[in-house]
Amino acid sequence: MNLFTVADFYINRLVNSQARSSNPSLIEQNRIKALILDKDTTSTISMCATQSELLNHEIYLVDTIENNNRNVMRHLKCLVYVKPTEETIQALIRELDNPRYGDYHIFFNNTVTKSQLERLAEADSMECVSKVEEIFQDYFILNEDLFSFDLPSENLFYNSLMWDEVGLTDCTKSLTSLLLSLKLRPEIRFDATSRLCGKLAKELSYEINHNESSLFDFPPMDSPPVLVLLDRKTDPLTPLLQPWTYQSMISEYIGVKRNMVDLSNVPDIDKDLQKVTLSSRQDSFFKDTMYLNFGELGDKIKKYVDNYKEKTNTNSRINSIEDIKNFIEKYPEFRKLSGSVAKHMAIIGELDRQLQMRDVWEVSEVEQNLSVHKDDPEDFQDLVKILENSKIDAYYKLKLACIYALRQGNDNSQLNEIVQILQNQPLVPVDDVNLFHKFRRIFGQNQAADESRYWERDDLLTELTKRFNSRMRNADSGNVFMQHIPKISKLLTDFSKNKVPKEQFKTLEETETFRGASASPPSQDLVVFVVGGVTFEEARFVHEFNQTMEGKMRVILGGTSVVSTHEYMESIRQISGSDI
Amino acid sequence: MFRDRTNLFLSYRRTFPHNSKFNSSRRPLEDPFADEDEEAYPMQEFGTKNSDTLPPSFVNLTQEVDESLVEVDRLMVQLSKLYRKNALPGFEDKSHDEKEIESLSFKLIQLFQRCYGVMKRLQRVEEEQQYMGHQLQRDDLVILENLRKRYAQKIQIQSNKFRVLQNNYLKFLNKDDSKPVFPKSEGASQLLLEEEEEEKGQNRDIEAYSRQTLQRQRTNNASATQQFLRERDEEITQLAKGVLEVSVIFREMQELIIDQGTIVDRIDYNLENTVIELRSADRELKGATRYQKNTQKCKIILLLSLCVVALFLFVMLKPHSNTKTVKVPSEGTVPAQHPNHLGAPSENDQEARRISLAVV
C-alpha cells in the first residue's frame, strides 16, 4: 500500500510498453520515443517520475497534446498518457486524424467509456494505434501514504450540503481509480452526520458494484479493506490551527504546489533557488525531516550543515594530486549535497522569518491552549490580550475567535465580549466580523449535536484508557505548540481495535451487518478520504500510525485537496450565508 | 492494476470501413502508411524518399557511443580482473601483466576520447541547428538535446567507474611502494642487529662473513629497490596521466548532466520551459521579419537618396554645361537677335508716339 510503488509500476508499464503483435526486435527496442501528456497527467507524472528517468528509457521528446505546433516525426514511437476527458479525447481524435508520429500507444489514467473508445477507433483511419490501455492513477501522490485530487472546494460543492454534479463525478472517478490502483474492493463507511459523504458513498458503491464490477473482481481478503469517508466539517479545528511540521509549514507559509516550492517572493533569494522541488523520494533530507516539528528540524539542519562544512573543509585542503583526485571523484555527490543544503537553508530561513514577522509563536501557543483546555479563564485572558494587540495580523485574531467559538459552544457571554473586541479593532474589517458570525452559525449547532456522541464521549475513565491505549506515539505531548491531536487519530485507534460504532460510521449495504463489529478481525487496509480537504498535520499522524502499526495495518490518507489555514478560512468565506 | 483495451479498440476499428486507398488519394503526400498497404512492397517503400519515417541521421552518431561503451564495459571487466590478480602478493614475474594493463587502460582512454568526440560533434550540430544540409525542426532540437544529456550521463557513469578502478589501483601501488620496500629494509637491519648480538661471542669469522654478505645483500637490495621504485614511479605517473585525461572528459560531461532532485529534472518544468523557448524563438522571428522590413525600407531610402544625389549632381552639372552652351552660341545668336531687338523698340516708339499723340 505504498503509493509510490504503485506509481512506479505504472510508469514502468508506460515506458516499457511494447506492442503485442510485433516481436520486439532490437531496432524496435531502441527506437526513440515521444511522450505526449495532457495538462492533468503532466502533473501526475512529474510528481513521481523525473526527466532523467524518462531519458533512460529513450523518451527524448515530451510534449502536451494541447500543443498544436508539434513537428511531424514519423520515426518516433509515441506514448500517449492522458486523462479521458472530453477535451483530450477531442484532441486525440484530431491527432489520429492526422498522425504526426509513427506508432501510437495510448494510456488512459482512468476508465475510458466504450463510446469514447469507439470514437477513437473511428478516427484512427491510418491504423497507427497499436495499443490502448487503462492504468489507474487519476490522483496526485504527495507522500507514500498521502494523496490528493487537487480539486479546489469552491468548484466541488454548491454549498455545504450539496455536491456540484461535475465535482461529484470527478471525485468519484478519481476515488475509483485509487481503489483500482491499490486493488481494493472496500467496505465503504461514511460519516453519518454528513450528507456530502453519504452522497459520495452511494455514488461510489454504484460505480463499484454496477458500472465497473468486472474491474473490481478481486479475490476476497480475510478482512475486508475499509474506505472511510470523512467530512472536513467534523473536525474543523485541525485546519484552523497553525501547523508545526516541516512539510505543513512550507505549505502554510510559503506554499507548495505539486511538490514545487516557489521561493521567488523571498527577499534576496538566489536566482537558482527561486523554484525548488521537494519530494520525499529524491530528497533524503526532506524524507527524514518532513514530519518533524520546527525545533527538531532546527537540530537536523544544523547537523546537516555541519556535515556539509566538514566536507567543504576537506575539499578546500587540496595540496597533493591525491587530494585532487579525491575531490574530482566526490565532486558530483558534493555538488548535490551543496544544492540540497542551500535549498533547505533558504526554505527554513524563510520559515523562520515569517514566524518572527507574524508573531506566530505567541498566537500558536494560545491557539493550542484554547483547543485543548476547556473553559480556562487564563486562556481567555491570553486570547483577549492577543485580540487587543495591534501588532498581530487581523487574520490571526479572526482565527483565534473562531477557535474559541468552536470550543466554547454557543451561548456564552464571553463570545459577545470577543465580538465587541473584534469590532473595536480598527484593523479588523467588518467582513471578518460577519465571517465570524457565519462560522458560529455553521459550526455552532453542528458541534453541539456532535458533542454528546462519538468524538467527545470521554469522561474521566475513558480519557484515562485512551491515554493508555492510544497507539500514537505521543512524543510531542510535552510540546506547547503541538498539544492538539486531530480527531483522525482517535478514529484510527478505534479502527485498529475494531471499535467504531455503526451508528456513527454507517455502511451502505445492510447485508454486511453480519460482519459484526467484534466478529471480524480489524481490517488491515484502510483508506481514509476527507471530503473538503486534508491537512499535512493529519498526514503526520497517519504516517506515525503506519510506523507503529507496521505489519498489522496500513492506512492511506487522502482528500479532495490539501488545505492550509488560509485556504480553509477562504473556503468558509465562500459558503454563501443563505445555504447554512 | 491495469486493463488492456487494445482488443476492444481493434474490434471497433475493424467495424469502421477504413479504405486506405481512399485515404491515400485524399492525402497522398502525408501518408506513408497508406502507401504501405497499397503497394505491398515493403522494401520499395523503405527505400523511397520518405525520409521522415527514418530517425534523423544524427541518431546514428550515438550508435558509435553505444558501441564504445559496450567495449568499455568488456575491457573494464578484464582490467579489474588483472588488477585483482596483480594486487595479490606473488613471486612470479608481473611485467607481462603490467604491460597488458597499460595497453588496456590506453585502449579505454581512447574509447572515452572517441565518445567525447561524438558528443562534441552532436554539440556542434545542435549549435548550428542543421545536419548534413538539413535544417532541423524544433522537436528535432529537443530530441537532440535530450539525447546529448542521456549519453553524457551514460559516459559519465562509465568513466566514473573507470576512474574509481584506476584510483584504487593507484592507491594500492602507492601503498605497495611504501610497504614492501621500507619495512623490509627496516626488518632486515633489525634482524642484522639481533644477529650481531647473538653472534658476538661466537665466531668472529662468521660474523665478518655474514656482515659482508649482508652488506652486499643490502646494497644489492637497495639498487634493486631503486630500480623498482623508478619503474613504479613511471607507471604511476602514466596511470595518473590517464586518470587526469579521463577526468577532463568527466568534467566536460558534468556540465550536461541533469542535477537529479533539482527543478531541472522536473518533467512539467521542462515542458513549460520549452514552451517559453519556443515563444522566445517566435519573438526573435518577429524581430527578424521587422528587421527585414526595415532593411527593405532602408533599401528604398538608399535608392531614393541615390536618385536625389544623382539628380543633384545632374542639376549641379547642368547649369555649368548650360552656361557653356549658352556662351558658345551667344556670340552667334546675339547678332541674329539684334534686328529683333532693334525692331521692338521701333514698335515701342510708335506706340509711345501714339500715346503722346493721344495725350496731345
Side-chain angles (χ1 to χ4, degrees):
Chain A
M1 290 259 286
N2 183 339
L3 289 174
F4 282 133
T5 45
V6 175
D8 280 345
F9 171 73
Y10 284 146
I11 285 168
N12 263 327
R13 274 209 77 75
L14 192 70
V15 296
N16 296 325
S17 136
Q18 297 284 350
R20 282 177 310 170
S21 53
S22 64
N23 46 340
S25 60
L26 193 70
I27 306 159
E28 195 62 26
Q29 272 177 349
N30 286 330
R31 197 167 170 190
I32 299 179
K33 286 175 259 186
L35 179 66
I36 301 296
L37 303 165
D38 69 1
K39 55 183 188 306
D40 298 291
T41 49
T42 308
S43 326
T44 317
I45 201 169
S46 30
M47 284 174 83
C48 34
T50 61
Q51 184 85 5
S52 44
E53 277 169 43
L54 293 187
L55 288 186
N56 282 338
H57 288 96
E58 280 89 28
I59 296 174
Y60 293 132
L61 183 68
V62 184
D63 217 323
T64 54
I65 194 142
E66 289 94 354
N67 182 5
N68 282 323
N69 297 323
R70 282 171 286 135
N71 299 124
V72 176
M73 297 178 125
R74 290 279 150 70
H75 57 86
L76 289 183
K77 177 170 137 186
C78 179
L79 308 169
V80 185
Y81 180 39
V82 289
K83 183 175 177 163
T85 58
E86 185 50 40
E87 216 176 309
T88 50
I89 294 284
Q90 284 291 350
L92 206 53
I93 285 174
R94 270 201 305 280
E95 175 80 26
L96 290 179
D97 206 32
N98 195 358
R100 292 187 172 89
Y101 309 104
D103 187 14
Y104 283 82
H105 292 195
I106 302 177
F107 291 84
F108 291 105
N109 75 347
N110 211 331
T111 47
V112 57
T113 62
K114 286 187 175 164
S115 68
Q116 281 173 329
L117 213 55
E118 209 171 334
R119 279 165 64 205
L120 278 183
E122 191 182 353
D124 182 25
S125 52
M126 316 283 184
E127 309 205 342
C128 49
V129 176
S130 54
K131 189 172 185 177
V132 180
E133 194 167 295
E134 287 164 345
I135 56 182
F136 303 99
Q137 207 200 338
D138 192 6
Y139 52 92
F140 301 113
I141 300 171
L142 292 165
N143 300 340
E144 58 175 28
D145 43 24
L146 179 68
F147 67 92
S148 151
F149 296 158
D150 230 353
L151 298 165
S153 29
E154 55 261 32
N155 301 342
L156 269 182
F157 317 112
Y158 276 132
N159 52 45
S160 57
L161 296 177
M162 274 273 284
W163 281 91
D164 182 86
E165 275 304 314
V166 183
L168 182 62
T169 34
D170 278 356
C171 201
T172 318
K173 274 190 175 166
S174 298
L175 212 47
T176 327
S177 86
L178 174 89
L179 294 173
L180 281 172
S181 68
L182 293 170
K183 297 191 189 176
L184 298 177
R185 184 183 180 143
E187 181 188 355
I188 301 169
R189 318 235 356 212
F190 61 96
D191 191 344
T193 52
S194 160
R195 277 170 63 182
L196 288 176
C197 291
K199 181 86 180 140
L200 181 63
K202 256 179 229 146
E203 281 291 314
L204 202 59
S205 86
Y206 183 79
E207 194 77 8
I208 292 174
N209 294 322
H210 298 95
N211 282 357
E212 310 291 350
S213 54
S214 61
L215 272 174
F216 277 97
D217 193 18
F218 303 122
M221 296 190 199
D222 301 344
S223 54
V226 177
L227 170 71
V228 188
L229 301 176
L230 293 179
D231 196 333
R232 185 72 273 169
K233 282 213 305 294
T234 337
D235 182 11
L237 196 55
T238 310
L240 281 178
L241 298 172
Q242 291 298 356
W244 284 100
T245 64
Y246 191 24
Q247 194 183 23
S248 57
M249 281 171 79
I250 292 170
S251 139
E252 171 76 24
Y253 299 110
I254 305 175
V256 51
K257 197 160 187 289
R258 285 161 195 177
N259 285 349
M260 276 215 273
V261 183
D262 189 359
L263 288 170
S264 49
N265 292 328
V266 179
D268 308 327
I269 191 77
D270 198 61
K271 204 162 169 281
D272 296 336
L273 289 172
Q274 286 195 347
K275 259 191 173 181
V276 296
T277 54
L278 270 184
S279 164
S280 54
R281 295 190 84 191
Q282 290 140 23
D283 189 336
S284 59
F285 179 76
F286 186 60
K287 192 176 181 201
D288 290 344
T289 53
M290 59 200 284
Y291 298 115
L292 295 184
N293 66 39
F294 199 63
E296 291 164 334
L297 178 67
D299 290 345
K300 280 270 177 185
I301 189 89
K302 190 171 168 292
K303 266 185 212 151
Y304 199 46
V305 172
D306 283 346
N307 177 20
Y308 172 70
K309 265 190 196 154
E310 208 175 282
K311 285 213 170 136
T312 37
N313 275 340
T314 53
N315 279 341
S316 61
R317 277 189 289 107
I318 293 177
N319 298 321
S320 61
I321 293 182
E322 195 68 22
D323 285 343
I324 295 175
K325 271 181 284 186
N326 270 335
F327 173 73
I328 292 174
E329 198 174 309
K330 284 180 187 147
Y331 180 67
E333 201 187 320
F334 174 72
R335 210 168 77 154
K336 208 169 155 187
L337 181 69
S338 77
S340 164
V341 167
K343 179 169 81 181
H344 288 289
M345 282 302 283
I347 293 173
I348 293 173
E350 171 64 11
L351 285 180
D352 191 47
R353 192 181 71 91
Q354 298 254 1
L355 290 179
Q356 297 289 345
M357 197 176 71
R358 305 187 183 179
D359 296 306
V360 177
W361 297 94
E362 213 176 317
V363 173
S364 179
E365 190 180 342
V366 179
E367 272 180 5
Q368 293 284 339
N369 284 337
L370 279 179
S371 68
V372 177
H373 311 144
K374 218 166 179 187
D375 292 323
D376 193 335
E378 213 172 290
D379 288 342
F380 186 71
Q381 287 310 313
D382 287 340
L383 172 67
V384 171
K385 226 184 275 169
I386 291 220
L387 289 183
E388 282 170 345
N389 188 343
S390 60
K391 266 194 342 200
I392 286 168
D393 199 40
Y395 167 74
Y396 290 115
K397 291 180 186 172
L398 174 67
K399 209 159 59 94
L400 272 173
C402 289
I403 292 167
Y404 190 75
L406 263 185
R407 292 297 294 167
Q408 308 307 328
N410 235 353
D411 32 27
N412 201 326
S413 60
Q414 282 170 329
L415 276 179
N416 294 330
E417 201 181 325
I418 288 174
V419 175
Q420 280 295 316
I421 300 172
L422 276 181
Q423 274 166 344
N424 290 339
Q425 289 292 313
L427 286 171
V428 179
V430 188
D431 206 27
D432 279 2
V433 181
N434 289 340
L435 180 62
F436 175 62
H437 283 302
K438 195 155 95 184
F439 191 87
R440 275 176 65 191
R441 270 207 307 282
I442 298 173
F443 293 106
Q445 306 98 339
N446 204 338
Q447 205 64 15
D450 220 32
E451 207 80 353
S452 54
R453 290 214 196 141
Y454 174 63
W455 301 109
E456 310 287 336
R457 46 159 197 177
D458 28 85
D459 46 298
L460 188 67
L461 207 67
T462 45
E463 178 81 10
L464 277 177
T465 48
K466 203 175 81 185
R467 281 276 160 82
F468 280 112
N469 292 337
S470 174
R471 302 207 173 162
M472 292 295 165
R473 285 182 306 145
N474 274 334
D476 303 315
S477 54
N479 192 333
V480 199
F481 298 106
M482 296 178 103
Q483 298 175 64
H484 170 73
I485 294 165
K487 284 177 180 172
I488 200 167
S489 153
K490 180 173 165 47
L491 179 78
L492 291 180
T493 315
D494 281 355
F495 261 108
S496 71
K497 287 184 285 185
N498 214 356
K499 273 190 187 163
V500 182
K502 266 264 144 74
E503 61 273 18
Q504 186 64 25
F505 285 96
K506 280 191 195 158
T507 51
L508 276 177
E509 292 94 17
E510 292 307 311
T511 48
E512 281 185 75
T513 42
F514 66 86
R515 285 194 204 133
S518 50
S520 64
S523 56
Q524 289 185 336
D525 298 319
L526 190 65
V527 178
V528 182
F529 183 75
V530 186
V531 176
V534 71
T535 63
F536 280 121
E537 204 74 5
E538 284 163 330
R540 176 176 70 105
F541 276 92
V542 168
H543 178 76
E544 283 174 1
F545 184 81
N546 276 337
Q547 276 186 336
T548 38
M549 295 296 288
E550 184 130 36
K552 281 177 262 176
M553 215 174 141
R554 291 167 296 185
V555 185
I556 282 179
L557 179 69
T560 47
S561 60
V562 176
V563 290
S564 66
T565 64
H566 287 269
E567 282 160 345
Y568 187 61
M569 287 300 271
E570 209 44 50
S571 75
I572 292 173
R573 207 186 286 265
Q574 298 279 331
I575 301 171
S576 50
S578 56
D579 295 327
I580 299 158
Chain B
M1 173 75 199
F2 59 91
R3 180 163 63 165
D4 201 334
R5 308 233 82 182
T6 315
N7 285 338
L8 188 62
F9 181 82
L10 289 180
S11 66
Y12 279 140
R13 194 164 70 183
R14 251 173 253 131
T15 59
F16 291 102
H18 291 311
N19 196 337
S20 51
K21 268 182 194 168
F22 168 70
N23 280 323
S24 64
S25 64
R26 199 177 58 183
R27 272 191 291 268
L29 279 174
E30 288 172 6
D31 191 13
F33 299 95
D35 288 349
E36 205 174 76
D37 283 353
E38 198 179 27
E39 294 173 354
Y41 293 124
M43 289 307 285
Q44 196 181 338
E45 204 274 333
F46 202 68
T48 49
K49 75 280 167 193
N50 275 326
S51 58
D52 60 343
T53 51
L54 286 174
S57 33
F58 60 76
V59 177
N60 298 342
L61 285 178
T62 59
Q63 258 166 17
E64 200 178 319
V65 178
D66 270 329
E67 281 161 19
S68 308
L69 287 180
V70 168
E71 182 72 12
V72 161
D73 232 17
R74 199 179 57 80
L75 289 180
M76 209 111 84
V77 171
Q78 270 184 27
L79 192 64
S80 68
K81 253 185 216 157
L82 270 179
Y83 278 161
R84 226 172 300 145
K85 191 174 145 201
N86 239 5
L88 289 172
F91 295 107
E92 72 268 31
D93 187 24
K94 284 176 182 169
S95 57
H96 172 69
D97 283 350
E98 270 155 20
K99 258 193 201 124
E100 210 175 320
I101 284 176
E102 241 167 70
S103 75
L104 270 179
S105 34
F106 181 68
K107 260 189 220 160
L108 275 168
I109 288 165
Q110 257 189 335
L111 281 172
F112 279 124
Q113 273 163 348
R114 217 170 86 193
C115 295
Y116 181 57
V118 173
M119 296 303 289
K120 276 268 168 200
R121 233 182 310 162
L122 284 177
Q123 190 184 352
R124 225 174 21 249
V125 171
E126 195 180 348
E127 273 163 11
E128 287 167 7
Q129 304 214 339
Q130 52 186 8
Y131 181 70
M132 304 203 355
H134 287 290
Q135 181 65 40
L136 295 180
Q137 290 170 312
R138 187 192 76 99
D139 287 358
D140 275 330
L141 289 173
V142 174
I143 289 175
L144 183 56
E145 199 192 333
N146 284 332
L147 207 68
R148 279 181 59 214
K149 278 182 189 159
R150 166 86 197 290
Y151 277 95
Q153 200 160 17
K154 269 188 176 177
I155 296 170
Q156 179 87 300
I157 290 166
Q158 287 294 345
S159 66
N160 199 21
K161 261 193 217 160
F162 176 60
R163 280 173 327 113
V164 169
L165 198 67
Q166 266 194 326
N167 257 0
N168 284 345
Y169 187 60
L170 267 183
K171 266 179 214 157
F172 159 75
L173 279 186
N174 277 339
K175 246 189 266 160
D176 203 33
D177 277 349
S178 50
K179 220 202 284 174
V181 179
F182 296 116
K184 216 189 265 170
S185 57
E186 255 175 5
S189 60
Q190 231 166 21
L191 250 175
L192 183 79
L193 283 173
E194 280 166 19
E195 273 175 60
E196 259 180 296
E197 272 177 320
E198 267 180 37
E199 290 169 3
K200 222 172 209 172
Q202 284 186 5
N203 203 328
R204 293 253 151 192
D205 291 342
I206 296 172
E207 188 198 308
Y209 171 75
S210 65
R211 196 176 280 171
Q212 248 180 351
T213 46
L214 267 170
Q215 215 148 24
R216 215 185 303 139
Q217 187 80 10
R218 218 149 91 194
T219 48
N220 253 353
N221 219 2
S223 68
T225 43
Q226 240 167 19
Q227 206 194 336
F228 180 68
L229 260 179
R230 216 179 303 121
E231 272 174 25
R232 272 295 149 99
D233 234 25
E234 269 171 35
E235 232 173 83
I236 288 170
T237 43
Q238 234 169 14
L239 266 179
K241 244 190 247 167
V243 169
L244 281 181
E245 264 173 69
V246 177
S247 54
V248 167
I249 295 173
F250 186 78
R251 218 176 314 131
E252 297 245 351
M253 294 291 130
Q254 183 73 41
E255 286 167 21
L256 269 177
I257 299 295
I258 313 170
D259 285 316
Q260 279 166 26
T262 62
I263 190 86
V264 189
D265 209 9
R266 286 277 293 202
I267 296 165
D268 47 0
Y269 179 81
N270 274 304
L271 252 174
E272 282 163 28
N273 251 29
T274 47
V275 170
I276 293 162
E277 253 170 49
L278 185 69
R279 275 197 202 128
S280 68
D282 196 18
R283 210 183 307 134
E284 271 167 30
L285 248 168
K286 272 180 192 152
T289 48
R290 203 179 58 231
Y291 283 134
Q292 206 158 24
K293 271 182 192 163
N294 279 357
T295 52
Q296 267 176 349
K297 271 183 204 159
C298 277
K299 271 180 196 161
I300 291 169
I301 289 169
L302 195 74
L303 194 81
L304 284 175
S305 53
L306 266 174
C307 279
V308 167
V309 168
L311 284 172
F312 187 72
L313 277 176
F314 190 61
V315 169
M316 280 283 279
L317 287 173
K318 205 173 181 186
H320 193 62
S321 60
N322 256 4
T323 47
K324 262 185 185 171
T325 49
V326 167
K327 257 182 190 173
V328 176
S330 65
E331 288 162 0
T333 48
V334 167
Q337 271 180 346
H338 250 281
N340 237 349
H341 201 66
L342 288 172
S346 60
E347 272 176 27
N348 276 352
D349 282 357
Q350 276 178 353
E351 229 177 73
R353 225 174 286 151
R354 238 183 293 158
I355 290 166
S356 60
L357 273 172
V359 169
V360 172

